[in-house]
Amino acid sequence: MSNAHHHSDTVPLHASSQSDIDEIEDLIFASVQAGPATVRPAPPVSPPRAQIPAFPSTFSPSYIPTPPPIASSQKPMPVPAVPPPPPLPVSSAGSGIQNDISAGGFGSAPNTLTEPVWDTVKRDLLRIVSNLKLVVFPNPFRDDPGKALRDWDLWGPFFFIVFLGLVLSWSASVKKSEVFAVAFAVLAAGAVILTLNVLLLGGHIIFFQSLSLLGYCLFPLDVGALICLMKDNVVLKVIVVSVTLAWSSWAAYPFMSSAVNPRRKALALYPLFLMYVSVGFLIIAID
């Protein structure tokens, strides 16, 4: 019964499949009878290939045009020699040129921290004398106030204010310290108030530049006060003060008038003239 069931489960192979199986068995039997197969030796290692550089150091001669041959009769053109530049002069003139370049705005500014004290004092004195000439004495720059006091300073005005206060205190017989204090306060506060007045009127001027200008314009009054100190005469004092007052007003007029609108010129000049008149009255009145 079991044998009948086993034969009924198996399926007979096709004739072509049976022939393939028989062929595979014949090949296996033949290889076993022939013995172990010989292993072929490994092929030799091939030599490394030459690498092509990414940036060749030499060019192909086919791309370089060959220069034409030079005939024996032709001579190469001589190249003219360039003369060397002349050496820079090492003298005081060279240092002066460097100072001019630095002052004109080209190059580095001179180092004033390590210079001698006398050089600093001499430079400041020369600046004071130059500004005094531009403001008080006739010169072509009076028509252009911007050029006249471009290099303004406050040492000159401070000196003229202190000098006028000292002269007035020396002229007084009593309370010399009070006279100096009043004169110094009137001049310093007056210069500040006049500058603020010009700025409030819409004037185009720098605050400290205006202070410098008003201080330099006191130089004629300083000269008048010194003359009145040496000559104690009321008539002479009136004449000297009148001349120096007109001189100071003439010196300050072009600068203050050009800084404001022409319609507001009187509003800027009247306080200035009033301060100079007050200083002149102090010079005459102090005995």
Side-chain angles (χ1 to χ4, degrees), residues 153-211:
D153 68 288
L154 297 178
W155 285 112
F158 177 77
F159 172 77
F160 294 136
I161 291 176
V162 172
F163 181 77
L164 184 56
L166 290 176
V167 172
L168 293 177
S169 63
W170 294 336
S171 302
S173 56
V174 293
K175 299 182 178 180
K176 296 180 180 293
S177 60
E178 294 182 3
V179 172
F180 175 81
V182 170
F184 185 85
V186 168
L187 295 175
V192 174
I193 293 174
L194 290 175
T195 302
L196 292 177
N197 180 48
V198 173
L199 293 176
L200 292 176
L201 291 174
H204 302 282
I205 193 170
I206 303 174
F207 181 81
F208 292 105
Q209 186 180 16
S210 178
L211 294 180

Side-chain angles (χ1 to χ4, degrees), residues 108-281:
S108 59
N111 187 9
T112 59
L113 297 177
T114 57
E115 66 177 1
V117 178
W118 170 244
D119 293 343
T120 304
V121 174
K122 181 172 64 175
R123 186 181 66 255
D124 292 338
L125 290 176
L126 292 177
R127 181 184 300 175
I128 291 173
V129 173
S130 176
N131 290 337
L132 185 63
K133 291 179 180 179
L134 292 175
V135 174
V136 178
F137 298 99
N139 59 84
F141 294 104
R142 288 180 60 83
D143 297 334
D144 190 358
K147 293 182 179 180
L149 274 183
R150 180 175 298 174
D151 191 17
W152 54 269
D153 68 288
L154 297 178
W155 285 112
F158 177 77
F159 172 77
F160 294 136
I161 291 176
V162 172
F163 181 77
L164 184 56
L166 290 176
V167 172
L168 293 177
S169 63
W170 294 336
S171 302
S173 56
V174 293
K175 299 182 178 180
K176 296 180 180 293
S177 60
E178 294 182 3
V179 172
F180 175 81
V182 170
F184 185 85
V186 168
L187 295 175
V192 174
I193 293 174
L194 290 175
T195 302
L196 292 177
N197 180 48
V198 173
L199 293 176
L200 292 176
L201 291 174
H204 302 282
I205 193 170
I206 303 174
F207 181 81
F208 292 105
Q209 186 180 16
S210 178
L211 294 180
S212 178
L213 167 67
L214 296 174
Y216 277 109
C217 291
L218 291 175
F219 172 76
L221 293 174
D222 288 354
V223 176
L226 187 61
I227 295 174
C228 294
L229 176 64
M230 295 184 295
K231 299 293 182 178
D232 190 7
N233 190 344
V234 178
V235 178
L236 179 63
K237 284 184 177 181
V238 172
I239 296 175
V240 172
V241 168
S242 299
V243 173
T244 54
L245 179 61
W247 188 4
S248 296
S249 301
W250 172 82
Y253 174 79
F255 300 99
M256 303 301 291
S257 61
S258 61
V260 297
N261 194 326
R263 294 179 297 179
R264 300 179 178 179
K265 187 182 301 184
L267 297 176
L269 295 177
Y270 173 73
L272 175 67
F273 182 75
L274 185 62
M275 188 188 74
Y276 288 160
V277 170
S278 302
V279 174
F281 179 76

